Amino acid sequence: MSEPAITVTDLTKRFGGKTVVDRVSLSVEKGEIAGFLGPNGSGKTTTIRLMCGLLQPDGGSGRVLGHDIQTERGAIKREVGYMTQRFSFYEDLTIEENLNFVAGLYRMPGRRRVVRETLQDLGLYSRRDQLAGSLSGGWKQRLALAACVMHRPKLLMLDEPTAGVDPKARRDFWDEIHRLAADGLTVLVSTHYMDEAERCHRINYISYGTLVARGTVAEVVRDAGLTTMVISGSRAGEAARRLEGEAGVDQIAPFGTTLHVVGRDGAALRETVARVAEETGTEAAPAETSLEDVFIQLMGDAQDNMS
Amino acid sequence: MTRFLSLARLWALLVKETIQMRRDRLTFAMMIGIPLVQLMLFGFAINNDPKELPAALVAPTQDRFTRAMVSALELTGYYRFIAPAATAAKAEEMITRGDVVFVVTVPSDFGRRVERGDDPSILIEADATDPAAASGAISTLGTVATEALEREAGLPQGSGPALSVVVHKRYNPEGITQYNIVPGLLGVILQLTMVMMTAMALTRETERGTMENLLSMPATPLEIMLGKVVPYLGVGAVQVVVVLVASKAIFGIPMVGHLSVILIGIFVFVLSLVILGYLISTVARTQMQAMQLTFFFFLPSLMLSGFMFPYRGMPGWAQALGEIFPLTHFLRLIRSVMLKGADVQTVAQSMAALLLFVLLLSLAALMRFRRTLD
Ligand SMILES: Nc1ncnc2c1ncn2[C@@H]1O[C@H](COP(=O)(O)OP(=O)(O)OP(=O)(O)O)[C@@H](O)[C@H]1O
Ligand SMILES: [Mg+2]
């Protein structure tokens, strides 16, 4: 009973000579909302496809809902709802026809009723005869999401489900995800939004095919071991120029009239910031490190590794 | 049954394919339009009884009888003597090169024999690579020449010497007639449209990115294949009706054989075509590739099936190669049944060959089908 919804070990995938997913191991507990983060091209989509049985791994193994990802693809497909990053329903079918198609493929009982309810929940009932291709980007996302939860899957794999969706719809979407998770559904969701990452129970950060950080948001921030200082004052811009390349300074990011300065070496950072603040007549104060600061740091580290 | 094929899922696939097909107006118009346009084009191009065919005359003694005969031939409208005084060697060269379609050879004792009352003879060599083209010209020849000779010799009709015309059909001894071509066209039209349309079927999903979604849902390879192939069988049925009605109404092609045998033969042939198209679509990655593969297959089958050139006139290796195309077997079958009234037993071999294609192509397609995105 306590078997996790997803366990993969040393999952590896190569395209040509390039290793796109490199010995990734992760596990997601039942009922958990797991965030999947990482820069563009880091291998999130590829990892998700491997776990859905849509790609043949070059190494490693895994079980999804207790089924082997290489030998029990059929069972996985029946119990998992996968929402692709790119809209991949039929643009030349209407909204209703697309949903009917999906319902038919899953052999859902009471197909008509389920489709009608889904349309009503979505708020698309009056537009059901509209071609899916003519929907706006955000509405396409909402349709795709509705289509992949229609067959009541036990696990949802969502690949950037809220890209291009407005804030209100995004909030509704996350409320819905939490409601589903409370009922026992497991969700793995990839995203580039920090606020969404913070709404996940746990996050997994992947970079150049390698899993580099995992845990709750607090754990990931703590494990990064970063120190953050905020500089404020009218001459913050000048302070930024002076801080460039100084000891202990890894990131400088302006936020309106304030400046966030982040570094791994806390003592050196505090000293440098104090000096520059005095020179420019600005105020310096310690601050909380944000998840975004951590990710930017991780990305920079990965690039250093690459070169 | 449920492991490989669920009727509910197949139904969902069929509905979706049919809607998409109907909504793609251009393709749909093409599927109905192509057979008609092709039939008219090919049918009439071949039906056309060509006149003024270039001819060479080899007549060492250009006497008045020869001249009379030549001008009578020209008056029929079929012959145009572009080389009225050629040597035998020159004429041979011209017909080989294709400059002339006919070489009329009048022996040197021709005039003397007419005057003496002996039976004279002339030789007509016809380039019969396109035999239908030359047949009209050949058939008028005997009577026209005889009448011209009688007039010139001042004899009443029917009392002159019996002119014997030796016709030598070159390059293609098996004279194909019009009737041979239209049933063949049925095969060619079906082949082009059916293979091409189904070849696009899977590649379109791959190209539009909908493949990822389709594969992530529980549909088996067999269901996906049937879902793609069955709607095109319906399209094929429409085409068959169009072509059969047109060949009867416009070209007056006789249908000697049993309609049921004709239809069964067509059905198995179309089945092999759509499955071949589907196989192509499991290989091609883009619609462009699918198109190219279709033509790669289409052209040799046109050449080697016996549609363009008589099968028996081809060299042994070409005949052997021709056997690997469903069209070859279909042409044999449809011509025997439609024109010669063959029954099922007579065409059993061709039918068996077509069924074998269906079986092998289905297996290959199911094996080729990629269950993953790799
Ligand atoms: N079918 C394929 N063939 C070759 N290379 C591929 C293929 N699919 C993905 N890649 C490569 O694998 C790498 C990882 O791609 P992937 O789509 O998994 O990244 P991602 O993390 O989802 O990025 P994004 O945030 O932009 O969606 C990229 O460098 C990409 O070019
Ligand atoms: Mg991606």
Side-chain angles (χ1 to χ4, degrees):
Chain A
M1 234 18 283
S2 60
E3 189 188 0
I6 302 177
T7 37
V8 294
T9 354
D10 292 338
L11 214 51
T12 301
K13 180 71 191 174
R14 282 183 282 273
F15 286 121
K18 201 169 133 206
T19 306
V20 166
V21 175
D22 194 2
R23 280 168 288 135
V24 166
S25 303
L26 61 95
S27 85
V28 175
E29 295 302 323
K30 284 198 172 125
E32 181 176 294
I33 301 175
F36 201 23
L37 295 103
N40 292 132
S42 53
K44 299 182 296 295
T45 301
T46 309
T47 308
I48 293 178
R49 283 175 179 167
L50 286 166
M51 293 188 297
C52 292
L54 285 175
L55 285 175
Q56 181 73 35
D58 293 314
S61 60
R63 297 180 83 73
V64 166
L65 298 172
H67 309 295
D68 188 284
I69 59 168
Q70 292 190 59
T71 57
E72 294 169 281
R73 297 210 171 97
I76 293 177
K77 287 175 186 181
R78 276 192 297 277
E79 295 175 21
V80 171
Y82 169 44
M83 177 173 166
T84 57
Q85 179 170 3
R86 193 182 134 191
F87 183 73
S88 57
F89 284 89
Y90 298 96
E91 304 213 338
D92 51 351
L93 257 53
T94 66
I95 296 163
E96 187 175 24
E97 285 160 355
N98 267 302
L99 292 178
N100 273 330
F101 175 62
V102 173
L105 280 195
Y106 285 103
R107 300 203 281 168
M108 292 170 47
R111 208 157 55 87
R112 303 211 160 275
R113 184 182 46 79
V114 175
V115 168
R116 196 184 56 237
E117 281 170 9
T118 306
L119 282 168
Q120 280 160 347
D121 290 349
L122 254 179
L124 281 177
Y125 190 75
S126 58
R127 291 160 71 184
R128 63 189 182 278
D129 291 329
Q130 194 179 330
L131 290 187
S134 69
L135 285 172
S136 76
W139 276 105
K140 278 184 187 163
Q141 296 293 95
R142 294 163 77 161
L143 169 65
L145 179 71
C148 75
V149 295
M150 204 166 51
H151 67 286
R152 306 253 163 265
K154 296 184 185 138
L155 168 67
L156 267 183
M157 305 238 206
L158 309 173
D159 200 356
E160 297 191 29
T162 55
V165 172
D166 67 50
K168 169 77 169 65
R170 221 142 66 84
R171 167 95 33 109
D172 292 348
F173 164 82
W174 275 94
D175 290 347
E176 175 73 12
I177 293 290
H178 275 273
R179 222 176 0 257
L180 291 168
D183 292 343
L185 183 82
T186 310
V187 183
L188 180 79
V189 52
S190 84
T191 178
H192 289 295
Y193 297 116
M194 289 309 123
D195 59 321
E196 292 189 350
E198 280 163 2
R199 296 194 68 165
C200 295
H201 296 134
R202 301 212 303 156
I203 56 177
N204 300 274
Y205 185 89
I206 186 175
S207 175
Y208 292 100
T210 324
L211 197 69
V212 291
R214 56 195 292 203
T216 63
V217 171
E219 280 164 4
V220 168
V221 170
R222 192 195 61 212
D223 292 351
L226 297 180
T227 305
T228 300
M229 301 285 287
V230 173
I231 294 183
S232 51
S234 56
R235 290 172 68 200
E238 194 194 330
R241 271 192 303 283
R242 288 186 182 224
L243 282 165
E244 203 85 58
E246 290 293 324
V249 178
D250 292 328
Q251 299 174 36
I252 311 161
F255 282 84
T257 57
T258 66
L259 207 59
H260 283 223
V261 190
V262 182
R264 220 175 334 225
D265 186 344
L269 177 79
R270 274 189 285 273
E271 199 195 303
T272 307
V273 168
R275 196 190 67 225
V276 171
E278 203 173 297
E279 286 168 9
T280 54
T282 46
E283 302 273 323
E288 293 255 319
T289 303
S290 72
L291 194 57
E292 183 166 301
D293 296 332
V294 174
F295 285 166
I296 304 248
Q297 191 75 25
L298 288 171
M299 272 192 213
D301 291 352
Q303 260 146 21
D304 293 347
N305 291 346
M306 288 294 283
S307 52
Chain B
M1 188 73 177
T2 44
R3 205 175 126 74
F4 297 105
L5 182 66
S6 131
L7 288 182
R9 275 204 297 262
L10 180 57
W11 180 248
L13 283 158
L14 288 178
V15 170
K16 167 222 154 213
E17 289 295 334
T18 315
I19 296 172
Q20 284 187 309
M21 209 155 77
R22 214 183 46 217
R23 220 152 263 165
D24 188 356
R25 289 271 167 74
L26 184 66
T27 310
F28 198 66
M30 252 166 51
M31 286 190 284
I32 303 301
I34 284 180
L36 272 178
V37 170
Q38 281 195 334
L39 193 68
M40 294 302 146
L41 227 61
F42 281 101
F44 281 118
I46 295 163
N47 184 25
N48 193 358
D49 188 8
K51 302 266 168 122
E52 299 234 10
L53 295 169
L57 178 66
V58 182
T61 53
Q62 299 250 354
D63 55 41
R64 64 189 179 105
F65 293 108
T66 309
R67 279 197 304 277
M69 200 184 62
V70 166
S71 61
L73 287 183
E74 281 193 314
L75 275 177
T76 64
Y78 282 112
Y79 300 85
R80 186 163 50 90
F81 286 93
I82 59 166
T87 64
K90 177 79 182 152
E92 175 66 25
E93 193 191 316
M94 289 180 88
I95 197 168
T96 310
R97 229 187 3 242
D99 291 352
V100 294
V101 176
F102 297 103
V103 175
V104 179
T105 304
V106 184
S108 52
D109 61 349
F110 184 75
R112 249 179 296 131
R113 290 182 80 110
V114 176
E115 279 170 332
R116 273 212 310 268
D118 282 351
D119 287 352
S121 72
I122 60 170
L123 171 69
I124 302 263
E125 290 166 275
D127 175 356
T129 41
D130 188 359
S135 63
I138 292 168
S139 65
T140 59
L141 193 91
T143 35
V144 171
T146 310
E147 284 169 7
L149 284 181
E150 285 164 343
R151 237 178 294 126
E152 187 61 29
L155 297 169
Q157 244 190 38
S159 65
L163 171 71
S164 73
V165 178
V166 181
V167 176
H168 188 180
K169 288 185 185 171
R170 306 269 310 259
Y171 309 124
N172 171 16
E174 187 182 350
I176 303 178
T177 65
Q178 163 103 110
Y179 288 174
N180 253 341
I181 282 156
V182 174
L185 264 181
L186 172 63
V188 171
I189 290 169
L190 283 173
Q191 166 162 308
L192 182 63
T193 47
M194 289 290 98
V195 176
M196 198 154 71
M197 301 297 166
T198 29
M200 305 285 179
L202 265 191
T203 17
R204 191 163 36 221
E205 302 250 4
T206 314
E207 236 175 48
R208 292 188 187 168
T210 51
M211 197 64 180
E212 184 176 6
N213 205 357
L214 184 61
L215 285 181
S216 76
M217 294 190 280
T220 65
L222 180 64
E223 287 161 358
I224 294 178
M225 178 169 102
L226 289 178
K228 291 283 179 194
V229 153
V230 172
Y232 288 100
L233 279 183
V235 177
V238 176
Q239 291 195 342
V240 168
V241 171
V242 169
V243 174
L244 283 185
V245 169
S247 51
K248 186 97 190 133
I250 303 175
F251 298 103
I253 306 296
M255 282 191 210
V256 187
H258 233 276
L259 188 63
S260 62
V261 184
I262 295 178
L263 291 181
I264 293 170
I266 292 175
F267 175 75
V268 180
F269 176 58
V270 171
L271 197 59
S272 74
L273 293 179
V274 288
I275 295 172
L276 174 72
Y278 185 76
L279 177 62
I280 289 179
S281 79
T282 62
V283 177
R285 289 216 166 243
T286 62
Q287 297 197 49
M288 192 63 203
Q289 282 179 357
M291 196 80 152
Q292 284 165 342
L293 279 170
T294 304
F295 275 94
F296 182 72
F297 165 84
F298 181 70
L299 291 178
S301 78
L302 213 59
M303 308 281 189
L304 300 175
S305 62
F307 174 73
M308 279 192 138
F309 312 115
Y311 193 74
R312 300 290 161 223
M314 297 193 306
W317 61 266
Q319 293 194 20
L321 209 56
E323 296 282 345
I324 65 167
F325 298 107
L327 184 61
T328 310
H329 301 274
F330 177 71
L331 288 185
R332 257 179 231 160
L333 183 148
I334 197 75
R335 282 174 178 161
S336 330
V337 179
M338 250 174 113
L339 305 171
K340 301 176 197 158
D343 57 12
V344 186
Q345 273 110 53
T346 322
V347 294
Q349 213 185 347
S350 309
M351 197 75 99
L354 287 175
L355 283 169
L356 191 66
F357 277 116
V358 171
L359 194 71
L360 292 181
L361 291 170
S362 311
L363 282 179
L366 286 175
M367 261 154 46
R368 274 285 329 170
F369 181 79
R370 288 181 286 259
R371 285 156 188 265
T372 59
L373 291 168
D374 302 72

